[in-house]
């Protein structure tokens, strides 16, 4: 089974702090994703990565950055946390093939609930 | 613009009844649709998918129907059980980000509650 783990289930930080959220997958997947999930807004894509050291902006990248130094690990960084970044953060990974008849299913971690005070 | 949404935010059904969760999408060019289930405190879990060249696909106790004419997707759960209580999301594959890769656009979710 695919396993996606996130470093923390719950995190409380203060405004202005630098925050690191870590995600690790154990299935040698090419693609990794970071989403935030808010009531009434669903899942929104922050950043994604198709390869080591590669990153692409999603729908809401402002205030975030990412790092992918190793294939299995994808980090989300809040350079200076703000209260509007209080949310559930979900990491996902997928095999990395999206062509023809193959559907590239994303597998999700359990999420990190971040509260910024 | 593209959007994927659900008609009802909550759905309450009696244990043993069938459940139908609906989803509307706006991008007629989308090729793939996926249903996810998210239980409380967990990440979304893949349930079933369907390609745009299909009208219906069945899994274990679940059936997904695709009506391309009205851009409507539904998830049917047979003999709903308490363990089916969760939030259900539909998602479509968007090719907005270029190349041969695509990304998912998620609907906002429907919360299914199963009454014993």
């Amino acid at each position: 089974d695919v396993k996606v783990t996130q470093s923390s289930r719950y995190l409380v930080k203060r405004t202005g702090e630098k925050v690191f959220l870590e995600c690790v997958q154990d299935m040698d997947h090419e693609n990794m994703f970071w989403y935030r999930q808010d009531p009434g807004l669903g899942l929104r894509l922050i950043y994604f990565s198709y390869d080591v050291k590669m990153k692409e902006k999603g729908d809401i990248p402002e205030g975030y950055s990412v790092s992918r130094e190793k294939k299995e690990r994808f980090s989300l960084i809040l350079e200076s946390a703000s209260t509007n970044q209080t949310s559930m953060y979900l990491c996902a990974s997928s095999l990395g093939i999206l062509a023809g008849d193959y559907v590239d299913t994303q597998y999700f971690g359990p999420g990190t609930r971040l509260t910024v005070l | 613009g593209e959007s994927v949404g659900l008609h009802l935010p909550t759905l309450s059904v009696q244990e043993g009844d069938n459940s139908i969760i609906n989803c509307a999408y706006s991008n007629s060019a989308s090729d793939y649709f996926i249903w996810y289930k998210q239980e409380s405190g967990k990440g979304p879990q893949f349930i079933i998918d369907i390609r745009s060249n299909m009208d219906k696909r069945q899994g274990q106790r679940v059936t997904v129907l695709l009506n391309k004419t009205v851009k409507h997707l539904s998830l049917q759960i047979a003999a709903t059980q308490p363990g089916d209580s969760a939030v259900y999301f539909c998602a479509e594959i968007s090719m907005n980000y270029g190349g041969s890769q695509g990304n998912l656009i998620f609907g906002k979710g429907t919360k299914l509650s199963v009454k014993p």
Side-chain angles (χ1 to χ4, degrees), chain B residues 19-110:
Chain B
S19 303
I20 300 176
I21 301 171
N22 296 306
C23 181
Y25 64 95
S26 60
N27 184 5
S28 57
S30 291
D31 294 315
Y32 302 107
F33 302 88
I34 301 174
W35 280 100
Y36 282 90
K37 172 187 179 182
Q38 186 175 22
E39 297 174 270
S40 180
K42 297 182 180 179
Q45 179 184 7
F46 173 88
I47 301 174
I48 192 169
D49 61 6
I50 189 168
R51 298 197 297 268
S52 60
N53 62 353
M54 303 169 70
D55 297 322
K56 178 180 180 179
R57 191 172 186 200
Q58 287 186 293
Q60 187 178 15
R61 281 202 307 119
V62 294
T63 301
V64 56
L65 300 177
L66 176 63
N67 186 331
K68 294 180 287 293
T69 302
V70 295
K71 291 184 284 188
H72 183 267
L73 192 68
S74 68
L75 178 71
Q76 300 180 1
I77 305 174
T80 312
Q81 302 169 359
D84 295 327
S85 294
V87 175
Y88 290 82
F89 296 92
C90 63
E92 64 177 313
I93 295 287
S94 165
M95 302 301 286
N96 279 344
Y97 299 104
S100 62
Q101 302 285 358
N103 289 301
L104 294 174
I105 296 176
F106 287 86
K108 293 180 175 52
T110 293

Side-chain angles (χ1 to χ4, degrees), chain A residues 7-104:
Chain A
S7 52
S8 306
R9 292 300 303 275
Y10 300 94
L11 208 54
V12 180
K13 296 291 182 180
R14 295 198 177 276
T15 301
E17 281 192 81
K18 191 170 185 176
V19 182
F20 292 88
L21 302 182
E22 302 283 339
C23 176
V24 177
Q25 49 92 6
D26 66 356
M27 284 301 292
D28 201 35
H29 281 178
E30 299 291 334
N31 299 343
M32 296 189 75
F33 306 81
W34 274 108
Y35 295 87
R36 62 177 286 176
Q37 184 177 30
D38 301 288
L41 297 176
L43 278 80
R44 293 180 291 168
L45 182 63
I46 303 171
Y47 265 98
F48 57 99
S49 169
Y50 290 133
D51 201 354
V52 175
K53 296 191 183 296
M54 189 213 147
K55 61 184 179 184
E56 293 287 343
K57 293 181 180 179
D59 298 313
I60 51 165
E62 296 78 18
Y64 303 94
S65 63
V66 290
S67 172
R68 190 148 181 222
E69 296 296 318
K70 293 183 178 181
K71 190 175 185 179
E72 68 271 17
R73 189 180 297 270
F74 192 35
S75 302
L76 180 69
I77 303 154
L78 287 66
E79 296 289 342
S80 178
S82 63
T83 55
N84 63 10
Q85 292 178 309
T86 292
S87 185
M88 169 70 85
Y89 289 88
L90 288 162
C91 174
S93 73
S94 68
L95 185 59
I97 302 170
L98 186 65
D101 294 336
Y102 190 85
V103 178
D104 197 24

